[in-house]
Amino acid sequence: MHAITIPEPGGPEALVWDEVPDPVAGEGEVLVEVVASAVNRADVLQRQGFYNPPPGASPYPGLECSGRIAAIGPGVSGWTVGDEVCALLAGGGYAQKVVVPAGQLLPVPEGVDLVQAAALPEVACTVWSNVFMISHLRPGETLLVHGGSSGIGTMAIQLAKAVGAKVAVTAGTKEKLERCAELGADILINYREQDFVAEVEEATGGAGADVILDNMGAKYLDRNVRTLAINGRLAIIGLQGGAKGELNIGALLHKRAAVTATSLRARPVEEKTAIVAAVREHVWPLLAAGRVRPVVDRELPMAQAAEAHRVVEESGHIGKVLLVAP
């Protein structure tokens, strides 16, 4: 088979479409013939040499895919060869075939195209686990999503609206904010021109955001804490604004607030399996009903992964950028 390899870390040109050995499904695993994968920020970091795969994972980038089951390993039940699936991966999605723990498989939702299903696993699992399983967003509460036009952001907007929450988003252009509004966002904040602390305070009558989904880390830490409502929950899922910041514990005590930080890729298979099961139970019916949908900016051939990485790094896209396998 062919896969995108990274012989040496570097820029987008470091991604090489090369012939590699076929993977083989082991105990509790299935082999998926990949139809499409999606580009995530973690893939960019891996290409740059800053985010190595966890032990035992495929060395090739790609944290999600869609495709068809090609073979089933020992100890797997409930799936058959030929099933159309999408999957949460620890790596290996930028390839023609990938091995997946059976618990990280999802059926392609009714009404969703097989290629576009590749845009779903990582964002659905990240949003559901952080916003709902950990932060317990409830109907009537306010969710602030930083990077509202990203893959994560577009999914967070839709899921929060589906459960009856109010949604505030930050984005850097008018076009991106308009797309967020089309998905249901109520409070639109251009972070280049507006202070999100003041905007959320005004929009909520001084109450603040009950849950904040943050991809910036250190740069936004103090302002995020100031934006939280009483009993608010800050969920940090990215470090685009740095890894080290000063935390005002006094402000947390005053607000009886909580700060959590999680990553998905390195979690044990058992934890990922539980998250995938929750996503299948709660998110997949919303997709089948048309209340939530994948948001895809463009589809490129997998051999053009370098171009896809350039698009993602320039941050001009909205939703996900997909790589389609030959």
Side-chain angles (χ1 to χ4, degrees):
M1 73 168 189
H2 280 75
I4 291 292
T5 64
I6 310 173
E8 295 290 339
E13 68 281 355
L15 300 173
V16 178
W17 184 242
D18 202 359
E19 190 168 356
V20 300
D22 284 15
V24 177
E27 181 75 27
E29 297 177 330
V30 300
L31 178 66
V32 174
E33 183 177 338
V34 175
V35 169
S37 185
V39 179
N40 289 281
R41 292 281 176 182
D43 304 333
V44 173
L45 292 174
Q46 179 175 338
R47 188 204 76 220
Q48 294 170 337
F50 299 131
Y51 192 23
N52 293 327
S58 170
Y60 317 126
L63 300 183
E64 56 194 332
C65 74
S66 61
R68 298 177 181 89
I69 294 178
I72 296 175
V76 175
S77 61
W79 300 99
T80 60
V81 171
D83 283 348
E84 294 190 342
V85 297
C86 53
L88 180 69
L89 310 172
Y94 291 19
Q96 292 178 307
K97 298 177 183 177
V98 66
V99 165
V100 186
Q104 293 171 211
L105 285 175
L106 287 155
V108 172
E110 182 181 344
V112 175
D113 175 79
L114 179 58
V115 169
Q116 297 217 340
L120 293 172
E122 179 74 12
V123 296
C125 289
T126 297
V127 173
W128 192 262
S129 61
N130 283 279
V131 175
F132 298 94
M133 296 174 72
I134 295 174
S135 299
H136 303 290
L137 181 71
R138 293 182 288 268
E141 291 191 324
T142 298
L143 169 69
L144 169 60
V145 182
H146 291 300
S149 63
S150 67
I152 293 289
T154 54
M155 178 59 66
I157 294 167
Q158 295 180 84
L159 290 180
K161 295 302 294 184
V163 302
K166 187 175 184 179
V167 181
V169 297
T170 63
T173 69
K174 179 181 178 182
E175 178 192 6
K176 289 182 175 182
L177 289 172
E178 288 174 348
R179 290 293 300 276
C180 291
E182 291 171 4
L183 293 171
D186 306 285
I187 304 164
L188 310 175
I189 304 165
N190 187 324
Y191 66 80
R192 301 181 192 277
E193 301 172 356
Q194 298 169 289
D195 175 15
F196 70 80
V197 182
E199 296 298 324
V200 171
E201 181 179 13
E202 180 179 354
T204 60
D210 300 285
V211 177
I212 300 176
L213 186 62
D214 173 62
N215 61 350
M216 293 301 292
K219 183 177 180 179
Y220 279 7
L221 182 59
D222 179 67
R223 283 186 286 166
N224 277 333
V225 171
R226 286 192 278 130
T227 305
L228 284 173
I230 300 298
N231 296 315
R233 292 85 73 194
L234 168 61
I236 301 173
I237 59 169
L239 301 172
Q240 293 182 38
K244 295 183 179 181
E246 185 171 311
L247 177 64
N248 186 335
I249 299 174
L252 283 181
L253 286 170
H254 172 71
K255 294 187 174 184
R256 302 186 295 280
V259 178
T260 61
T262 71
S263 65
L264 187 58
R265 186 181 197 181
R267 289 193 184 202
V269 171
E270 295 76 15
E271 291 186 19
K272 291 181 182 178
T273 297
I275 293 169
V276 167
V279 165
R280 184 170 182 176
E281 178 183 356
H282 297 285
V283 179
W284 256 224
L286 297 173
L287 284 157
R291 298 179 62 193
V292 174
R293 59 184 175 84
V295 177
V296 175
D297 187 275
R298 68 193 71 184
E299 302 172 6
L300 294 170
M302 192 170 286
Q304 295 180 20
E307 176 60 25
H309 274 226
R310 291 186 183 98
V311 170
V312 170
E313 288 185 274
E314 290 170 0
S315 294
H317 64 293
I318 295 173
K320 301 299 286 280
V321 175
L322 301 187
L323 297 172
V324 181

